[in-house]
Amino acid sequence: MTTRTGPRATRRLILLGAASVALLGLGNLPFGAAPALAAANDKYPDEAFKQKGEADAIKALYGKTAEPSDKVKLDAPEIAENGGVVPISVTTTLDKVTSISLLVAENPSALAASYKIPDGTIPGVANRLKMAKTSNVVAIIEADGKLYSATKEVKVTVGGCGG
Amino acid sequence: MKQSLPLAMLLALLLTLGLAPAARAANEAEFKAAYSAAEAASKEAAGMRNQWTVTVSALAAAKKAADGGDFDRATAASKEAEALAKASIVQATSEKEAWKAMEIR
Amino acid sequence: MASTIRVRATSNGDITEVQTLIQHPMDTGLVKDAKGELIPAHYIQELKFECNGKDVFVANWGTAVSKDPYVKFSFKGAKKGDDLKISWTDNKGGSDTTTAKIS
Amino acid sequence: MKARSALLLGSLSAALIAFALTSPRVVAADKVDPAADAKAFQNFFFQKFPAVKHEDFVNGPYSMNEDMKRQWQEKEEFPPYEFALDAGKEMFATPFKNGKSYADCFPNGGIGIRQTYPYFDEKEGKVVTLELALNRCREANGEAPYSYVKDEMASLTAYMAFTSRGKPMDIRIPDDPRALAAYENGKRYFYTRRGQLNFSCASCHVQSPGERIRAEILAPALGILNAMPIYRSEWSGMGTISRRFVTCNSQTRAVPLEPQADEYRDVEYFVSYVANGLPISGPGARP
């Protein structure tokens, strides 16, 4: 849907346009500054956030692969009301959970968020993510050293009638 | 796109008759006429508070093409702008009564 | 200027539920502005929650977290009146911190 | 007005007369009856969506679709308009350079009065909206007016709407022919098709609420302004009523009028009036 009258392309349309184009030029994300920062606290998984694909991101983050499990409950909308604000939450009945991560497979970089769960904290999180387009959302839970996952497809498209 | 057919025929005609240089000047006059007609229709539509965004952008495209010396494209864009402006005028006039049919009673 | 961190920490029984909304652009670095230039990436990388001297929740975020990010979680071992310290740092070295009482 | 309605009666002749026998209101087609309009307008939606509770209509698309409603409720736990609300509250309390403040311009200090806007100003003979009144208050106190489509105006109206949450919309039409004319002009604008896409407000919000327009669900026209101003994920920012009217126009490829143009003030008057009785739910969060 090309908006011939350019100036009114809304921010969201630019987001969609730029996201699909940027798939190619991902390498030059200004991470120059980040590693220095990350070195200060080595917890920020810089490498994992740079990975494009979902499997690479999981490998970079945890160094192992996950197996689907119905104990991981991923709650995401069927059709996102807006790609910029998609409410996604994860809960689980697994115990000894140490980490929860959320990935959006079709985003320019798959890993969206990764949470550290110290003991004493309930294994679950709710947040709002951005999705470039219709994609699988994957929740990964690290429990007692093993990885479990749940996947759900969320449809995303622009709104409105024309412009 | 519906404009491209007459445009193509126009170009073909010019090439066969080899009137390119004379056509260059005529096109400018032709463009001026088409552009002023389009501008008049557009003003009328604006006067009826029912201007279309596509009319405005077609007029702008016509002016830009003319400034660049491409009078064929400029004339076509002016004709398109005029058609769009006229359509918006028809819409405004007919809607003066037509809206009542939609009213929830 | 008011803190960029809005937090609601409510405890019932041994479980404290924490909701946080942070005012931050979370730019992905892939979006062009009106003049057509790319807006540089500017997003929160780490958000930490500490209570009674212990980390209770640490979030590492990428560019896919929404503008004015929101997060909700719960944890055990705290009671009404305890302090909850929240702090974030972003990829440009920006940061903010605040302390909230668990109600 | 007189000539056009005579023409209308003439052209519909037989059918109209038969119809007139059944509902007297139509015989007096040119006598404007807002109260009857409002009743008919509300009944249209109540009958079209019997499952929707009357006060839920003000939640727009979320009253039409369960999946969207859940996403909305999750957002409402800590809504994105929280910052605008706090900013509005702070601005409302900050006095102008001359020491006065917004509270001096509005009845009841501006608290809990949003549901009476827009109102018909008999001195001026025109509809005055909340956004207009706020800017006039600023100008009267030597301050520069805010843009009608930007965040400051949205923050102020967000706070004033918040103080009226739950109060039923209460728009009055005084017994003044100019008020009736403004109401009728708003109704005309609401049902008039415009733009190259040839849509009127009614094409989307009366004929097809609840249906999808790509990712979004169309909101019913009933109570559509009760949640204003709204934080839209699409704008990732706040939007006033003016901003919504301007963007809706350009989406149908109609050149928008200037914010607070008479037509916009009148259509706001009409749409708010027919929603009388439904609760104010602003500020709102929308896709």
Side-chain angles (χ1 to χ4, degrees):
Chain A
M1 191 275 306
T2 56
T3 48
R4 269 188 312 134
T5 49
R8 265 187 353 287
T10 56
R11 198 178 124 75
R12 182 181 38 69
L13 286 181
I14 297 172
L15 180 77
L16 281 179
S20 47
V21 164
L23 277 181
L24 316 171
L26 184 66
N28 51 24
L29 271 184
F31 274 110
L37 199 69
N41 72 53
D42 52 16
K43 288 199 280 296
Y44 186 73
D46 189 42
E47 210 32 51
F49 275 110
K50 276 204 286 193
Q51 297 306 321
K52 215 161 78 62
E54 163 210 346
D56 305 340
I58 297 171
K59 190 175 290 2
L61 196 57
Y62 296 108
K64 39 190 185 276
T65 56
E67 48 162 291
S69 148
D70 51 20
K71 292 204 178 65
V72 178
K73 193 178 167 313
L74 169 59
D75 189 5
E78 211 195 302
I79 300 177
E81 67 170 24
N82 183 281
V85 181
V86 185
I88 290 176
S89 58
V90 187
T91 51
T92 179
T93 48
L94 293 165
D95 51 27
K96 290 211 273 306
V97 169
T98 48
S99 164
I100 298 179
S101 294
L102 281 162
L103 301 103
V104 178
E106 301 298 325
N107 267 0
S109 33
L111 183 58
S114 173
Y115 298 97
K116 306 236 162 336
I117 311 288
D119 52 32
T121 298
I122 315 275
V125 64
N127 56 19
R128 296 168 189 164
L129 300 181
K130 288 187 226 176
M131 293 180 63
K133 53 183 180 212
T134 298
S135 165
N136 274 344
V137 175
V138 180
I140 301 283
I141 293 195
E142 182 184 43
D144 194 14
K146 285 169 80 310
L147 289 188
Y148 304 90
S149 74
T151 303
K152 185 175 188 228
E153 190 198 46
V154 176
K155 293 193 185 66
V156 172
T157 177
V158 293
C161 65
Chain B
M1 282 313 110
K2 57 188 179 316
Q3 290 309 323
S4 57
L5 197 57
L7 187 67
M9 279 195 297
L10 181 69
L11 283 178
L13 183 69
L14 288 182
L15 291 181
T16 51
L17 297 178
L19 293 177
R24 172 87 11 241
N27 260 343
E28 178 149 6
E30 200 185 310
F31 155 70
K32 283 215 166 41
Y35 189 80
S36 64
E39 229 176 3
S42 159
K43 275 204 179 51
E44 190 187 344
M48 302 173 82
R49 315 265 289 163
N50 190 43
Q51 181 74 287
W52 289 358
T53 51
V54 281
T55 311
V56 173
S57 47
L59 266 177
K63 195 164 178 331
K64 190 157 169 282
D67 296 348
D70 182 344
F71 292 114
D72 300 333
R73 182 193 301 275
T75 312
S78 307
K79 285 202 170 68
E80 190 191 351
E82 189 188 358
L84 289 168
K86 285 228 161 59
S88 64
I89 292 165
V90 167
Q91 178 189 54
T93 330
S94 66
E95 278 301 305
K96 276 206 171 50
E97 287 312 311
W99 69 270
K100 293 192 173 103
M102 297 258 287
E103 187 193 346
I104 296 174
R105 286 180 191 285
Chain C
M1 214 281 281
S3 157
T4 61
I5 304 170
R6 293 283 186 292
V7 60
R8 252 182 240 145
T10 50
S11 105
N12 56 49
D14 186 25
I15 296 180
T16 306
E17 185 187 76
V18 179
Q19 288 181 78
T20 313
L21 189 74
I22 301 170
Q23 194 163 17
H24 195 283
M26 300 301 281
D27 291 321
T28 60
L30 308 171
V31 174
K32 290 194 179 64
D33 61 18
K35 289 189 294 303
E37 288 131 30
L38 270 181
I39 302 168
H42 181 205
Y43 58 96
I44 290 175
Q45 292 189 318
E46 185 168 278
L47 170 67
K48 197 187 291 182
F49 295 80
E50 286 160 73
C51 185
N52 300 334
K54 182 166 84 67
D55 279 0
V56 290
F57 195 71
V58 178
N60 287 322
W61 281 341
T63 54
V65 174
S66 299
K67 175 177 187 271
D68 297 340
Y70 165 84
V71 71
K72 178 169 86 169
F73 69 97
S74 304
F75 69 99
K76 294 196 189 117
K79 52 190 179 336
K80 275 189 177 37
D82 285 358
D83 276 345
L84 179 66
K85 179 165 174 286
I86 304 123
S87 51
W88 59 260
T89 52
D90 66 25
N91 68 320
K92 284 189 178 167
S95 70
D96 193 0
T97 180
T98 192
T99 308
K101 280 254 182 294
I102 297 175
S103 64
Chain D
M1 267 303 284
K2 270 278 161 275
R4 203 147 43 104
S5 44
L7 176 71
L8 173 71
L9 280 180
S11 65
L12 294 180
S13 61
L16 197 61
I17 292 169
F19 185 59
L21 296 181
T22 51
S23 81
R25 205 172 65 69
V26 174
V27 168
D30 53 8
K31 180 179 169 323
V32 179
D33 185 347
D37 282 356
K39 187 162 251 327
F41 199 90
Q42 298 200 357
N43 284 339
F44 172 85
F45 284 96
F46 296 157
Q47 276 141 27
K48 186 165 179 154
F49 301 100
V52 178
K53 292 210 291 295
H54 293 184
E55 65 277 12
D56 269 358
F57 277 104
V58 300
N59 299 328
Y62 306 124
S63 63
M64 296 282 126
N65 177 295
E66 247 353 276
D67 183 37
M68 293 277 269
K69 185 164 191 167
R70 239 165 37 76
Q71 290 180 63
W72 172 56
Q73 276 156 345
E74 265 164 47
K75 272 199 303 188
E76 279 296 298
E77 287 201 9
F78 223 145
Y81 50 73
E82 194 81 16
F83 299 108
L85 202 46
D86 291 347
K89 187 172 189 169
E90 211 180 308
M91 287 158 70
F92 209 78
T94 320
F96 302 129
K97 286 193 283 297
N98 66 4
K100 286 237 187 64
S101 79
Y102 293 106
D104 306 318
C105 299
F106 290 93
N108 194 28
I111 305 302
I113 56 158
R114 180 261 180 272
Q115 71 281 2
T116 59
Y117 282 78
Y119 71 95
F120 186 78
D121 184 322
E122 296 189 62
K123 280 196 302 312
E124 190 187 343
K126 277 194 179 172
V127 172
V128 172
T129 65
L130 184 60
E131 295 163 20
L132 201 55
L134 279 165
N135 261 347
R136 285 184 177 167
C137 172
R138 287 185 60 79
E139 279 163 340
N141 289 290
E143 299 281 341
Y146 285 134
S147 141
Y148 286 111
V149 292
K150 283 272 190 314
D151 285 349
E152 296 87 357
M153 182 57 81
S155 299
L156 279 174
T157 47
Y159 174 64
M160 289 182 84
F162 186 73
T163 61
S164 288
R165 258 194 185 175
K167 292 187 178 207
M169 186 71 97
D170 175 19
I171 304 295
R172 302 267 168 68
I173 300 187
D175 191 7
D176 176 333
R178 292 169 304 168
L180 285 181
Y183 166 84
E184 186 70 7
N185 186 39
K187 178 164 58 171
R188 180 191 58 73
Y189 187 89
F190 181 82
Y191 287 109
T192 300
R193 288 178 176 279
R194 57 183 56 83
Q196 188 181 26
L197 298 189
N198 200 27
F199 287 143
S200 68
C201 314
S203 321
C204 290
H205 298 293
V206 169
Q207 281 176 343
S208 34
E211 276 157 45
R212 276 206 183 272
I213 185 160
R214 296 191 285 187
E216 281 157 13
I217 299 271
L218 288 169
L222 181 59
I224 201 166
L225 294 180
N226 289 43
M228 281 295 181
I230 48 174
Y231 179 99
R232 287 201 70 212
S233 301
E234 187 181 318
W235 299 332
S236 62
M238 289 299 291
T240 57
I241 291 178
S242 302
R243 181 174 185 180
R244 186 67 268 203
F245 284 161
V246 165
T247 45
C248 248
N249 276 167
S250 49
Q251 286 217 3
T252 62
R253 298 187 187 159
V255 171
L257 308 171
E258 62 290 353
Q260 298 301 321
D262 286 353
E263 289 92 331
Y264 286 159
R265 287 155 70 172
D266 290 348
V267 73
E268 186 179 331
Y269 194 37
F270 166 74
V271 175
S272 303
Y273 178 81
V274 293
N276 267 352
L278 292 180
I280 294 293
S281 63
R286 290 288 184 272

